[in-house]
Amino acid sequence: MPTAEPVSVDRRTAAAISRATAEPAQRLDALDGLRGLAALGVLVLHTWMFSYGDQHRPPKGLLDLSLGELRLGVQLFFVLSGFLIFRPFVAAALDGARRGPSLTRYAIRRAARILPAYWLAVVASYFLLRHLDHPMQIDAGLLPVFFVFAQNHFDETIKHLDPPMWTLAIEVSFYATLPFAGALALRLGGGRARLLLLTLTVVAAGALSTILAYEHHWPQTLSTSLLPHLVEFGAGMTIAVLCHRRRLNARRAAALLLPALALILVNSWWHATGAGSQELRSLVGDAPGIAGIAAVIGVLVAGPWTAPLLARGPAKWLGSISFGVYLIHFPVIVALRMTGHWPEGDVLGRQLLTVMAFTIPLATASWFLVEKPSIALARRLTTRTARSTAGAPATREPRRQRTGERPALRPQTAGETYN
């Protein structure tokens, strides 16, 4: 993380920003559920990839084309991160706070949310793959590369150990650079247009990187860096600016939601079927789908509907354990296949149930035994620090639901951090 001088917020400003940014709990819980479904979608995608490969890649039907596009769950994770983590900086800038969010608090809570479960998954994957003598195993001397999220930058480690972890390396790169964008947002002040110029510049930088990666044949160690994915993070940041202190009525929400869903579907059809020029698809990437995803998030947050199917029940629970689901499902697949417990034949349904039967309990254990205690400890530490800095008792924060792959949802003060 950057070593910027930590800042804090005075209590009056913090209270004002809390009122301005606080969303109805159910709206943000809907994002929790959306994240949970995305994590489950990635599990389904990887299970299908092995199942489809075992069948010697027959011609794809509609189901195969649809399952392959569950890959957009990764783009959804990145857009959500941009939206949730940038929100307190947006609130501070647009509401005229004298100081921005505390970077000390930000760093502690980000580290507590990501590191314990991630490091445990790295070590567990290392021993599992060594035991199975799997081709994706690594030497023990390379473990520190994974511990500091640098695996994408070396040929010996990229897509090894637990391949889905490549996205976490990009996430952490974003966590490290976001405070600089936040500081610039505060310098720009209370003009929404100026903040939009900032966030759209981030999007443009990502689009330019995508074009350069294709035209100049960037190696995988560079194309899987933060640069091309600034499109997703910048899209989320843009929605954070647009949604601040705004509400959509039913007509406007529907007018935004329907084209957003259409963009996602058209983007998926375009890439799944390979329609048109491959060069154009490579240059544009998933920009239409990313725009659609960002708009859907905007409707969930600012629209009139509470999306109870996402905000409660199984979807919300999946959101709570989604980080564990994302970390654990691939090693589970590898273990099942290499120990003779993988259902054979054209039985995708049985394969999915088998993978979930191991992944869901393990992810639940990770949430209760590792993630949740770590989150609680970080919260106590940062609350104590805030009290000592203010020199007065801090107001008690309402309970927030932390979640799996990408944590924390409800903003409380300008110093709060999310994702």
Side-chain angles (χ1 to χ4, degrees), residues 284-306:
V284 174
D286 287 305
I290 292 165
I293 289 170
V296 168
I297 291 172
V299 170
L300 286 174
V301 172
W305 309 302
T306 55

Side-chain angles (χ1 to χ4, degrees), residues 229-280:
H229 295 282
L230 287 173
V231 175
E232 295 101 299
F233 292 111
M237 295 164 68
T238 301
I239 291 299
V241 174
L242 290 173
C243 287
H244 182 66
R245 281 182 172 271
R246 284 181 169 173
R247 288 289 177 267
L248 298 172
N249 59 32
R251 178 179 297 180
R252 290 183 177 179
L256 181 60
L257 181 61
L258 294 178
L261 295 175
L263 277 174
I264 297 171
L265 292 174
V266 169
N267 182 86
S268 294
W269 169 83
W270 187 36
H271 284 275
T273 61
S277 165
Q278 179 184 356
E279 181 179 16
L280 181 61

Side-chain angles (χ1 to χ4, degrees), residues 52-344:
Y52 180 72
D54 288 342
Q55 298 172 51
H56 307 292
R57 300 183 180 275
K60 291 182 179 179
L62 179 60
L63 178 61
D64 293 317
L65 294 174
S66 301
L67 292 177
E69 287 307 299
L70 290 174
R71 65 185 181 83
L72 288 177
V74 171
Q75 277 69 30
L76 172 59
F77 292 146
F78 290 159
V79 176
L80 275 173
S81 290
F83 171 74
L84 292 168
I85 296 184
F86 195 54
R87 291 180 75 230
F89 294 97
V90 171
L94 293 184
D95 292 335
R98 292 192 296 272
R99 298 176 183 175
S102 165
L103 298 189
T104 298
R105 190 182 202 190
Y106 171 85
I108 291 174
R109 293 199 175 189
R110 288 295 86 222
R113 186 60 191 90
I114 296 295
L115 293 182
Y118 169 75
W119 282 345
L120 178 61
V122 166
V123 173
S125 297
Y126 167 77
F127 284 110
L128 174 66
L129 267 60
R130 296 288 286 188
H131 174 71
L132 298 174
D133 195 24
H134 194 276
M136 290 188 300
Q137 65 180 300
I138 61 169
D139 294 330
L142 293 175
L143 279 173
V145 174
F146 283 84
F147 289 153
V148 298
F149 299 93
Q151 62 266 33
N152 291 2
H153 306 301
F154 299 95
D155 291 328
E156 298 84 358
T157 54
I158 190 169
K159 299 297 178 71
H160 279 64
L161 209 58
D162 186 352
M165 288 179 177
W166 73 270
T167 63
L168 297 180
I170 293 174
E171 279 278 345
V172 170
S173 297
F174 176 68
Y175 296 163
T177 56
L178 189 277
F180 296 102
L184 184 55
L186 293 170
R187 290 286 295 251
L188 291 173
R192 196 185 302 267
R194 282 175 284 179
L195 293 190
L196 286 175
L197 180 60
L198 169 63
T199 62
L200 291 176
T201 299
V202 174
V203 173
L208 177 61
S209 297
T210 300
I211 294 171
L212 293 175
Y214 175 75
E215 291 188 339
H216 295 278
H217 307 288
W218 282 7
Q220 191 177 23
T221 51
L222 184 57
S223 62
T224 54
S225 67
L226 173 64
L227 291 175
H229 295 282
L230 287 173
V231 175
E232 295 101 299
F233 292 111
M237 295 164 68
T238 301
I239 291 299
V241 174
L242 290 173
C243 287
H244 182 66
R245 281 182 172 271
R246 284 181 169 173
R247 288 289 177 267
L248 298 172
N249 59 32
R251 178 179 297 180
R252 290 183 177 179
L256 181 60
L257 181 61
L258 294 178
L261 295 175
L263 277 174
I264 297 171
L265 292 174
V266 169
N267 182 86
S268 294
W269 169 83
W270 187 36
H271 284 275
T273 61
S277 165
Q278 179 184 356
E279 181 179 16
L280 181 61
R281 289 197 307 277
S282 299
L283 293 173
V284 174
D286 287 305
I290 292 165
I293 289 170
V296 168
I297 291 172
V299 170
L300 286 174
V301 172
W305 309 302
T306 55
L309 291 179
L310 290 174
R312 298 193 297 264
K316 188 175 187 301
W317 173 246
L318 278 173
S320 298
I321 64 171
S322 59
F323 191 35
V325 169
Y326 193 81
L327 289 172
I328 293 167
H329 77 275
F330 203 90
V332 165
I333 292 173
V334 169
L336 289 171
R337 290 177 64 83
M338 294 197 69
T339 58
H341 294 89
W342 184 256
E344 299 292 340

